[in-house]
Amino acid sequence: MEHHRKRGRRAENWGYDERFRWRIWLSVSFHPSQPPAFEDSINTLFAPIIISCSTMVDRLGDSYTSFSTENNHTYVLHQFEECLYIAVNGDQEEGEEDLKRKIYVMKKMIEVQFGMVTLSSTLIRKELRPQDTEQRTNLWKYLQSLLETYSRLREQDQSFLVEAVERLIHPTLCEQCIEFLERRLVQQINSSVERAGEEVLHAFILVHTKLLAFYSSRNASTLTSSDLLALIVMVQNMYPSNIDLEDTAPEDVENTSAPDIFYTPEPSPTNRDSGTDRDSVNSGRHEESRHEESSHVGSGTPVFQFLDPDIQMAEDSLRTLEAPPPDPSNPSRVFLEVTLKEGCYPMMPHSMYCLPLWPGITLVLLTKIPNSNLAMSVYVFLEAFAKLEKRLSEGLEGSAARSQTSIQDLRNKLDKFIRALGTSDIQTSQLQSVWTEFKSRAFTRGGPGFSRDLVPWCRTMKSQLCGVYRQCFITENTVGGGSPQRLSPSLQDRALTMVQEKLMDWKDFLLVKSKRNITMVSYLEEFPGLIHFIYVDRTAGQMIAPSLNITDRATSELGKGPLAHFIKGKVWDLVNTSRIYLQKGYSTVTLRDGDYFFCYFLWFENETGYKLEVKDLPILPNDSAPIGMLAWDYYRKLLRYYSKSHQGEVVKCYELLTVHLGVIPTEYILQHCSQLARKLWEPSRIPLL
């Protein structure tokens, strides 16, 4: 199995296409003193790739998704509407799947930052490439730091490896904190006159990346796992957890973990590490697994370098820049999915307050802003024009004309919407002009009516609606900055003090607990030979796993030498391998790798815990989105697919990954997995989300 890849120097790039007039920029490398010259260099450097992509799309209607060069640089490309993302790696420490996942993650983070403005290529280009040099520099540094934070978390944190939220396992304290958030904190904030019209919808407490308590008000929509993971990335970007640098007292280590050699298997002989065999059994089907030699990744000089020394210098210069420390009182504007009885509304505006209680412990408040209903109206209109554009583009003019009731309803609502905007400070003259022209063409008796001629006007209407959305929720806010309307600083200070007083006696325990959430010692007597496991409730988006914090200062149950890093690398590889087979439609995978035996299971249950019958999973194409929950919620789509055959029944999805010693007989390993899943089922039902 392939060794876990470390993070090296690489570049992720984004560009935008306007009728194949491409613009491209590099998010992680630019020279702050000469940005225009740098952008010209980047455009020149990537011009052949952009031109070839546009030519293939123009002539063939398709394009390549990845390629490698003679100097072992890997390029991955993906186009979302008119936006082309390009990711490049030159040190061979990341493969195509890693780069593709980063592209999707960056797309997700940009959507969280800019909302429905991302639906307009013209507007999002203005946001991502502001004319002011300093503003552009700060924005690109911020996007770079988000991507680097995600990369760090994915390499160090099991929750971001499997893309599910990990919660601290302490039922009593969790329940007390949830009750405190509900009855004291949120209630006091929402009843205060200092909240400036905002309403706290969600409040949660993070200990590093682990969730201690989560509360949602009765008026709030469910916060999706994808959005919650993205918010954790943002919190970690603001207040990084420097676990490697934290001092861990020897007595803490002795009191919270087993001795170094306790339940630690002996390392395999060196000559067996590079020549292992595997058995692969998947849902009754057998497929040979290609052995990938594990290799230790050194920390030498990265291979990836631009040919232009100025660009290389620019990349090095950026790494020396430090962003100013964030002001906790300034909320960040974030755009999250909201599900109401009327339907699902993506990218709805919220304000996020990150209040640091102590280093490593953060209180996060998500508030509803006063004019958020306007965003829902914009989305409804955008969806209506998108559907109309699709029908007209497909030549279904008759279908569009027959939908006169819905079209007339759209006309009346949009007229009312524009009149309501006229009483505010929002500039609506362009929207009014385009809408008047649209109506004259679509509804006037002498006009062309509902035909293909309306397609450009549908697109223009969508762009104008996105412009209104931008004025309301983006223009007055800077990335990571504040908004004019916000909870007063004094109200934030009182909230901070209340939570600090509540957790004062627990803070040291919580910081240690976050590193030793659950340990393998409590499972070894019942499951001898079990080395590690990860259990994921994909319906709730939560996971449970023994801690794998391996640093120079702290020890783990696996020790802190080469063996501990070796096992951790094997766990990361098992997750990556399981995703490869899951993409091929396999729900069960068993792998033997020398002295170790790996298992992966995905199954469905009803809400009483009864396991449902096995059903073939859909096979995904090679160019599909990466499996996970952060950038693209594969499991939500999988649950919808499986629930079609279980109408009227609540279906839940679970995953279990285990690592055993290879000397344990296979029948006992499979029995362990079944018993372990039953043992973990009850604790996972603690209502934190």
Side-chain angles (χ1 to χ4, degrees):
M1 297 177 69
E2 186 177 347
H3 194 276
H4 170 52
R5 297 183 176 95
K6 295 183 180 178
R7 177 159 52 104
R9 177 175 296 170
R10 52 257 186 184
E12 284 76 16
N13 315 274
W14 303 277
Y16 284 81
D17 171 20
E18 293 180 337
R19 301 298 298 171
F20 299 123
R21 295 195 302 273
W22 295 81
R23 296 292 186 271
I24 190 163
W25 63 93
L26 192 68
S27 75
V28 299
S29 306
F30 66 95
H31 199 293
S33 61
Q34 296 178 338
F38 173 78
E39 292 173 20
D40 292 340
S41 300
I42 292 300
N43 287 333
T44 303
L45 187 66
F46 285 93
I49 300 174
I50 299 171
I51 293 172
S52 62
C53 256
S54 62
T55 302
M56 291 184 67
V57 171
D58 188 27
R59 297 183 179 181
L60 303 178
D62 198 2
S63 181
Y64 45 80
T65 57
S66 64
F67 63 87
S68 299
T69 60
E70 292 181 353
N71 56 358
N72 295 319
H73 289 189
T74 301
Y75 291 73
V76 174
L77 306 89
H78 196 94
Q79 188 161 346
F80 300 96
E81 298 297 334
E82 296 180 356
C83 176
L84 176 68
Y85 286 69
I86 304 176
V88 187
N89 176 264
D91 55 17
Q92 298 180 296
E93 293 183 359
E94 290 181 309
E96 293 181 10
E97 285 299 314
D98 300 311
L99 296 178
K100 183 168 70 172
R101 187 174 296 275
K102 280 192 173 184
I103 285 177
Y104 275 84
V105 168
M106 180 50 65
K107 176 178 179 289
K108 170 67 177 182
M109 300 309 298
I110 290 177
E111 289 175 346
V112 171
Q113 296 295 328
F114 297 103
M116 281 184 271
V117 172
T118 58
L119 302 179
S120 170
S121 61
T122 302
L123 295 179
I124 190 59
R125 180 188 172 195
K126 291 180 180 179
E127 292 299 325
L128 291 175
R129 302 190 67 183
Q131 294 182 353
D132 182 74
T133 302
E134 183 179 359
Q135 185 179 355
R136 188 186 313 181
T137 300
N138 291 334
L139 173 61
W140 288 7
K141 282 194 301 183
Y142 181 74
L143 294 177
Q144 172 202 344
S145 63
L146 284 177
L147 192 60
E148 289 181 342
T149 299
Y150 162 75
S151 299
R152 172 177 60 84
L153 293 176
R154 186 167 180 266
E155 291 169 0
Q156 298 177 357
D157 199 306
Q158 295 179 92
S159 64
F160 279 86
L161 172 67
V162 298
E163 296 188 4
V165 178
E166 184 175 6
R167 51 192 179 77
L168 284 179
I169 307 299
H170 196 292
T172 302
L173 180 59
C174 292
E175 291 176 4
Q176 290 178 2
C177 289
I178 293 172
E179 183 178 357
F180 173 81
L181 293 176
E182 175 186 8
R183 298 186 179 180
R184 292 198 57 193
L185 183 71
V186 174
Q187 190 177 60
Q188 181 169 325
I189 293 176
N190 287 344
S191 60
S192 173
V193 295
E194 300 178 51
R195 61 188 178 95
E198 294 194 357
E199 176 188 358
V200 176
L201 298 179
H202 308 281
F204 56 94
I205 302 172
L206 292 172
V207 184
H208 295 307
T209 60
K210 296 178 177 61
L211 191 64
L212 171 62
F214 189 103
Y215 170 73
S216 296
S217 67
R218 292 180 177 84
N219 299 328
S221 165
T222 301
L223 187 64
T224 66
S225 300
S226 174
D227 286 341
L228 182 55
L229 287 168
L231 295 179
I232 294 176
V233 172
M234 294 179 61
V235 174
Q236 278 291 300
N237 185 63
M238 293 177 66
Y239 306 107
S241 296
N242 296 320
I243 296 179
D244 291 345
L245 302 179
E246 291 176 0
D247 290 328
T248 303
E251 60 269 21
D252 291 338
V253 175
E254 293 174 0
N255 293 335
T256 58
S257 66
D260 291 358
I261 60 174
F262 192 68
Y263 287 112
T264 302
E266 293 296 327
S268 304
T270 305
N271 59 358
R272 297 184 63 184
D273 289 347
S274 59
T276 58
D277 59 354
R278 299 178 183 175
D279 297 319
S280 177
V281 182
N282 304 278
S283 296
R285 292 173 286 182
H286 178 76
E287 178 169 322
E288 293 185 359
S289 300
R290 179 175 58 86
H291 170 67
E292 296 180 281
E293 187 174 1
S294 64
S295 60
H296 178 70
V297 181
S299 58
T301 303
V303 178
F304 180 72
Q305 291 184 344
F306 284 106
L307 298 179
D308 190 336
D310 292 335
I311 299 178
Q312 182 62 48
M313 180 180 66
E315 182 183 50
D316 296 335
S317 299
L318 177 62
R319 296 182 181 277
T320 65
L321 297 177
E322 293 184 2
D327 182 0
S329 64
N330 284 339
S332 299
R333 180 60 48 81
V334 293
F335 299 89
L336 311 173
E337 180 179 308
V338 171
T339 302
L340 305 173
K341 60 182 181 179
E342 295 86 359
C344 178
Y345 300 89
M347 295 180 279
M348 293 293 108
H350 297 71
S351 288
M352 181 177 75
Y353 298 82
C354 296
L355 307 179
L357 304 173
W358 298 280
I361 306 179
T362 309
L363 169 67
V364 181
L365 303 175
L366 291 175
T367 64
K368 177 182 178 181
I369 59 179
N371 59 342
S372 59
N373 288 336
L374 186 146
M376 294 184 181
S377 299
V378 170
Y379 176 74
V380 170
F381 296 137
L382 284 173
E383 192 176 35
F385 280 108
K387 290 180 179 178
L388 178 60
E389 178 187 346
K390 182 179 179 181
R391 288 199 297 265
L392 297 177
S393 299
E394 294 174 350
L396 302 177
E397 293 91 343
S399 174
R402 286 192 296 270
S403 305
Q404 285 295 327
T405 303
S406 59
I407 294 295
Q408 191 62 41
D409 184 56
L410 170 66
R411 177 181 182 177
N412 295 334
K413 289 183 177 178
L414 191 50
D415 284 336
K416 183 178 179 181
F417 176 75
I418 294 176
R419 285 196 300 269
L421 290 178
T423 61
S424 65
D425 296 332
I426 301 173
Q427 299 296 323
T428 60
S429 58
Q430 289 185 331
L431 174 62
Q432 179 71 61
S433 175
V434 174
W435 176 232
T436 301
E437 182 65 24
F438 182 94
K439 289 189 294 184
S440 67
R441 291 173 175 269
F443 300 106
T444 303
R445 181 170 300 179
F450 290 94
S451 64
R452 286 180 180 269
D453 295 338
L454 275 182
V455 169
W457 291 97
C458 289
R459 295 172 181 168
T460 305
M461 278 300 303
K462 291 192 297 181
S463 180
Q464 291 299 321
L465 288 167
C466 289
V468 170
Y469 179 95
R470 176 173 177 260
Q471 289 184 64
C472 294
F473 308 113
I474 300 290
T475 303
E476 295 182 348
N477 297 278
T478 57
V479 175
S483 59
Q485 286 186 314
R486 64 183 186 184
L487 304 179
S488 69
S490 60
L491 184 59
Q492 295 182 49
D493 290 340
R494 289 200 299 273
L496 186 69
T497 303
M498 288 172 59
V499 182
Q500 284 178 329
E501 292 175 352
K502 172 67 178 177
L503 296 178
M504 180 63 70
D505 297 333
W506 291 92
K507 66 173 183 176
D508 293 331
F509 166 80
L510 290 173
L511 291 173
V512 175
K513 180 67 173 174
S514 68
K515 303 174 188 177
R516 302 287 187 274
N517 194 18
I518 63 174
T519 62
M520 279 300 305
V521 174
S522 57
Y523 295 90
L524 291 177
E525 182 176 355
E526 189 173 352
F527 306 103
L530 178 64
I531 297 176
H532 191 71
F533 68 85
I534 302 177
Y535 177 80
V536 190
D537 180 347
R538 287 298 180 184
T539 308
Q542 300 179 19
M543 58 86 71
I544 302 174
S547 299
L548 270 180
N549 291 324
I550 302 172
T551 68
D552 293 335
R553 294 172 180 257
T555 186
S556 72
E557 295 168 285
L558 298 172
K560 59 178 181 179
L563 176 63
H565 289 279
F566 178 79
I567 295 299
K568 181 179 179 181
K570 291 296 184 183
V571 171
W572 260 245
D573 288 333
L574 173 59
V575 172
N576 294 332
T577 302
S578 65
R579 284 171 173 161
I580 293 174
Y581 285 107
L582 189 58
Q583 184 176 354
K584 296 178 180 179
Y586 295 92
S587 60
T588 302
V589 180
T590 61
L591 303 171
R592 183 181 297 277
D593 190 352
D595 293 338
Y596 304 95
F597 197 90
F598 306 92
C599 295
Y600 166 79
F601 303 93
L602 181 143
W603 72 97
F604 299 91
E605 297 178 2
N606 60 21
E607 57 184 343
T608 63
Y610 177 78
K611 187 175 181 180
L612 303 177
E613 71 276 6
V614 177
K615 181 178 180 181
D616 289 340
L617 303 182
I619 299 175
L620 304 179
N622 292 331
D623 60 348
S624 62
I627 291 176
M629 301 187 78
L630 173 56
W632 182 72
D633 199 340
Y634 163 81
Y635 295 94
R636 181 156 64 169
K637 295 181 180 296
L638 183 62
L639 279 166
R640 290 173 182 170
Y641 169 81
Y642 195 86
S643 298
K644 291 179 181 178
S645 58
H646 293 272
Q647 297 292 335
E649 190 174 13
V650 177
V651 177
K652 297 180 178 292
C653 178
Y654 299 91
E655 286 180 308
L656 178 64
L657 301 96
T658 63
V659 182
H660 281 80
L661 289 175
V663 296
I664 307 298
T666 305
E667 58 271 21
Y668 287 110
I669 291 178
L670 298 179
Q671 184 179 359
H672 281 181
C673 293
S674 177
Q675 294 172 349
L676 182 62
R678 288 197 295 270
K679 181 181 179 69
L680 295 170
W681 184 78
E682 277 300 328
S684 69
R685 301 178 70 81
I686 299 174
L688 292 182
L689 287 178

